[in-house]
């Protein structure tokens, strides 16, 4: 017996035992590698399952005079064809404003808008039949760009306006002014698993929907409304997605609703799976932005006044454009104190896909504008942009007056000064910048560029009531644990982190905890897994549930041992009472026999949040995540081709729950952001048809585009806010670190003009755009080109 006890944890080790803050593999990693992970399309189909496809509009803006579906109905394998009139409930899938029909009814507003639904015996038969409709259109004028929307005063929502300080006086007193325009393109989510829903009718008008979605509760609401049912009739389940990136937050609703309508009408299971081309033609993207800005600054580069107008390409409906624009306004400052600002955001209505959420949710579009401004100020003054950035940083708490955002929230946890100093030293930035300039002076064709950019990103939903989560934790009599929470797994590792939190709370190995599929019949009224809050919200809710179980077990163990509950410790799959161990399953079995409750629900609501949408002021964020990146590129000035040579990243993940997953998220977010700003170009023709609707024409980054030298570290920092184990979010903020690549390219281009002319470069900085900017500098008469 004594030998056995010696193998248990000693008191010092017991105090240090942890299941969080340590690297652990993704909970489904082995399943992914073996091809055994079940996605929606992998679920075994029930007997009698039919397959659906959407019939899409071929016009950007038109009235439908008539539609002949006879050939569709006669096509091989077709069972039924449905139009808007066949929807038993509400023909709408808009998440906020009800302006987004499931199937167009008499009016089409973009090329690719669903008009009817074909149901057939196979997926291929349904798709082929959907192409056979004969539609008579009365074409109407189409608005295709943000600039066109502004000229036509075409909006999906009222304008947003935020102002602080006396902007007019600040401009009058500013020694220097700059004016400019900028265009930043959108981005396709390009999740590996496309949109898909599998609807199965159940008894008593019930409907079970397996859906690849970030927001099961929203899908439940939309399906219920479309079928004319109460929410309790509809169950939505999602075990995992093959990527989401925001594209499955609201826009999975169309697919869930359409499949459910067909299943309800035919009383048999129906699967609706989008082909990649159809997916890209139908669904919304990241919003592209057009900016007009005016900046006043002093001779050192300190910004004194800022005025910006942002026009979004919202598409034909509101979708999530309002929240996206709000977050863009709130992130225009990025890491900088702006004493006097005037910001206007306009959600332009265009006859294109209804744009939606995408990793960063407007934050990247807001922040990149001020970074362009900083870059231009520095070049105009002949200074290193890093020095101008530092000059404009939010101050530390003791620097009164320079730590209040334009929307009125205090920046009370600013670690950028220390973080930037550490990265500046580790990356040898100053030395490499000098080396790049020396290289350029001796190289007439190949030019190097380097840039150092920061990020400050607010964490929480701007809409306060969404910042809540629930969870269920079950402990079975064999000591194993099952967890159900409201978050959805899309590869980002939220299930792994939540499992770690529960394992830590109960003192168990991670292998003892299993996460069940997200299911609206288990945890109700969930928020979307979005805004980088998945682990923050659901981790806290699961921790709350597990803590209640642990406290019950501790009280029971203390009672039977006649000690105080404070003497009970849970660690290493055992329960220690005054350092005497008992296996966790043994205690659980005894507790069950004593009728101790072994399951619990948990709930969490983020404290201290408030937001006034009318004045655009408040405390919308729980905390800020910080980071910085240094990127070095080389550009071929004859072709516009470029390579990313090296990137150094330092990211503030707080007390990381899982450093391995967090570093992976930083790397992935960075590369995705780089794609947005460089290679991923969305292009519509003059008729409004998206021409980049497949990987043959839309170029996401490949392995060869990753930097040859990629150095990613997590900044040592404990979150000042009471987040889950004092960690910080890592989903969205790292995407903004890719700004460093865009500005490194600008730096390389600027060398052609002897660093005195600002390159006229918009995003994405494709090779064509780079070459165009180089040609513009060469024809500008700058010193290096004469």
């Amino acid at each position: 017996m004594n030998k056995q006890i010696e193998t248990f944890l000693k008191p010092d080790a017991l105090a240090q035992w942890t299941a969080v803050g340590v690297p652990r593999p993704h909970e489904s990693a082995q399943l992914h590698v073996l091809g055994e992970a079940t996605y929606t399309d992998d679920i075994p189909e029930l007997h009698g399952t039919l397959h659906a496809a959407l019939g899409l509009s071929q016009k950007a803006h038109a009235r439908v005079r008539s539609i002949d579906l006879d050939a569709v109905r006669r096509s091989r394998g077709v069972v039924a064809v449905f139009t808007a009139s066949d929807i038993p409930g509400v023909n709408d899938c808009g998440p906020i404003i009800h302006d987004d029909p499931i199937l167009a009814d008499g009016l089409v507003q973009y090329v690719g808008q669903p008009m009817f639904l074909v149901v057939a015996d196979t997926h291929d038969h349904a798709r082929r039949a959907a192409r056979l409709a004969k539609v008579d259109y009365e074409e109407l004028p189409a608005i295709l760009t943000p600039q066109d929307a502004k000229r036509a005063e075409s909006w999906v929502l009222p304008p947003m306006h935020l102002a602080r300080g006396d902007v007019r006086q600040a401009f009058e007193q500013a020694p220097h002014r700059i004016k400019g325009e900028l265009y930043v393109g959108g981005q396709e989510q390009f999740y590996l698993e496309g949109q898909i829903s599998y609807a199965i009718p159940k008894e008593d008008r019930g409907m079970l929907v397996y859906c690849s979605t970030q927001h099961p509760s929203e899908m439940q609401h939309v399906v219920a409304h479309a079928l004319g049912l109460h929410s309790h009739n509809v169950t939505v389940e999602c075990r995992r997605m093959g990527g989401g990136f925001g594209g499955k937050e609201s826009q999975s609703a169309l697919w869930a609703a359409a499949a459910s309508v067909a299943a309800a009408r035919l009383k048999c299971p129906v699967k609706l799976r989008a082909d990649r081309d159809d997916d890209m033609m139908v669904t919304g993207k990241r919003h592209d932005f057009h900016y007009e800005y005016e900046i006043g600054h002093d001779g050192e580069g300190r910004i004194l006044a800022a005025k910006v107008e942002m026009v979004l390409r919202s598409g034909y409906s509101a979708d999530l454009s309002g929240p996206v624009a709000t977050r863009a306004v709130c992130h225009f400052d990025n890491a900088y104190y702006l004493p006097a600002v005037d910001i206007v955001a306009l959600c332009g209505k265009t006859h294109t896909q209804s744009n939606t959420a995408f990793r960063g949710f407007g934050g990247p579009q807001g922040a990149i504008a001020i970074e362009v401004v900083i870059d231009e100020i520095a070049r105009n003054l002949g200074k290193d942009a890093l020095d101008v950035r530092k000059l404009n940083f939010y101050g530390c708490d003791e620097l009164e007056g320079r730590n209040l955002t334009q929307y009125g929230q205090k920046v009370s946890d600013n670690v950028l000064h220390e973080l930037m100093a550490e990265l500046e030293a580790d990356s040898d930035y100053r030395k490499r910048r000098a080396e790049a300039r020396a290289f350029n002076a001796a190289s007439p064709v190949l030019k190097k560029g380097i840039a150092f950019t920061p990020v400050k990103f607010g964490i929480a939903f701007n809409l306060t009531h969404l910042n809540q989560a629930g969870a269920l934790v079950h402990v079975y009599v064999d000591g194993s644990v099952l967890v159900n929470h409201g978050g959805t797994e899309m590869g980002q590792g939220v299930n792994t982190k939540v499992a770690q939190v529960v394992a830590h709370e109960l003192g168990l190995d991670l292998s003892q905890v299993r996460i069940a599929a997200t299911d609206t019949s288990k945890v109700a009224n969930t928020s979307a897994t979005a805004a980088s809050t998945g682990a923050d919200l659901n981790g806290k809710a699961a921790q709350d549930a597990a803590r209640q179980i642990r406290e019950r077990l501790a009280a029971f163990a203390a009672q039977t041992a006649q000690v105080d509950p404070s003497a009970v410790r849970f660690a290493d799959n055992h329960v220690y009472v005054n350092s005497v161990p008992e296996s966790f399953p043994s205690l659980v079995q005894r507790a069950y026999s004593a009728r101790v409750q072994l399951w619990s629900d948990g709930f969490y609501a983020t404290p201290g949040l408030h937001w006034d949408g009318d004045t655009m002021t408040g405390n919308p964020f729980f905390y800020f995540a910080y980071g910085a990146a240094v990127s070095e590129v080389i550009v071929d000035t004859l072709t516009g081709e470029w390579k990313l040579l090296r990137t150094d990243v330092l990211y503030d993940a707080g007390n990381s729950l899982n450093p391995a997953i967090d570093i992976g998220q930083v790397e992935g977010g960075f590369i995705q952001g780089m794609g947005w700003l460089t290679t991923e170009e969305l292009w519509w023709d003059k008729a409004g048809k998206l021409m980049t609707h497949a990987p043959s024409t839309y170029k996401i980054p490949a392995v060869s585009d990753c930097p040859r030298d990629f150095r990613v570290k997590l900044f040592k920092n404990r979150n000042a806010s009471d987040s889950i184990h004092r960690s910080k979010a890592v989903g969205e903020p790292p995407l903004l670190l890719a700004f460093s690549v865009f500005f490194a390219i600008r730096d390389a281009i600027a060398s052609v003009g002897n660093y005195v002319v600002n390159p006229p470069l918009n995003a994405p900085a494709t090779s064509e755009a780079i070459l165009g900017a180089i040609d513009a500098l060469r024809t500008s008469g700058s010193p290096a080109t004469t």
Side-chain angles (χ1 to χ4, degrees), residues 25 33 37-38 69 102 258 377 392 402 419 479 493 543 638 673 681 730 750:
V33 171
T38 301
L69 299 173
I102 299 166
I377 290 173
N392 284 283
R402 286 189 60 84
L419 187 151
Q543 182 187 50
L638 297 181
E681 184 176 27
V730 74

Side-chain angles (χ1 to χ4, degrees), residues 558-573:
Q559 180 184 15
T560 55
Q562 296 185 338
V563 299
D564 190 90
S566 63
V568 181
R569 293 287 185 272
F570 292 73
D572 195 33
N573 297 317

Side-chain angles (χ1 to χ4, degrees), residues 40 46 49-50 196-202 206-211 223 227 235 255-264 267-272:
T40 302
L46 297 178
T49 294
L50 298 175
I196 181 171
S197 287
Y198 184 28
I200 303 171
K202 309 300 281 188
M207 186 65 67
L208 170 62
V209 185
Y210 294 102
C211 183
V223 169
L227 299 181
T235 299
W255 314 88
S260 298
V261 167
K267 301 189 184 307
C268 68
V270 174
K271 180 185 288 188
L272 176 57

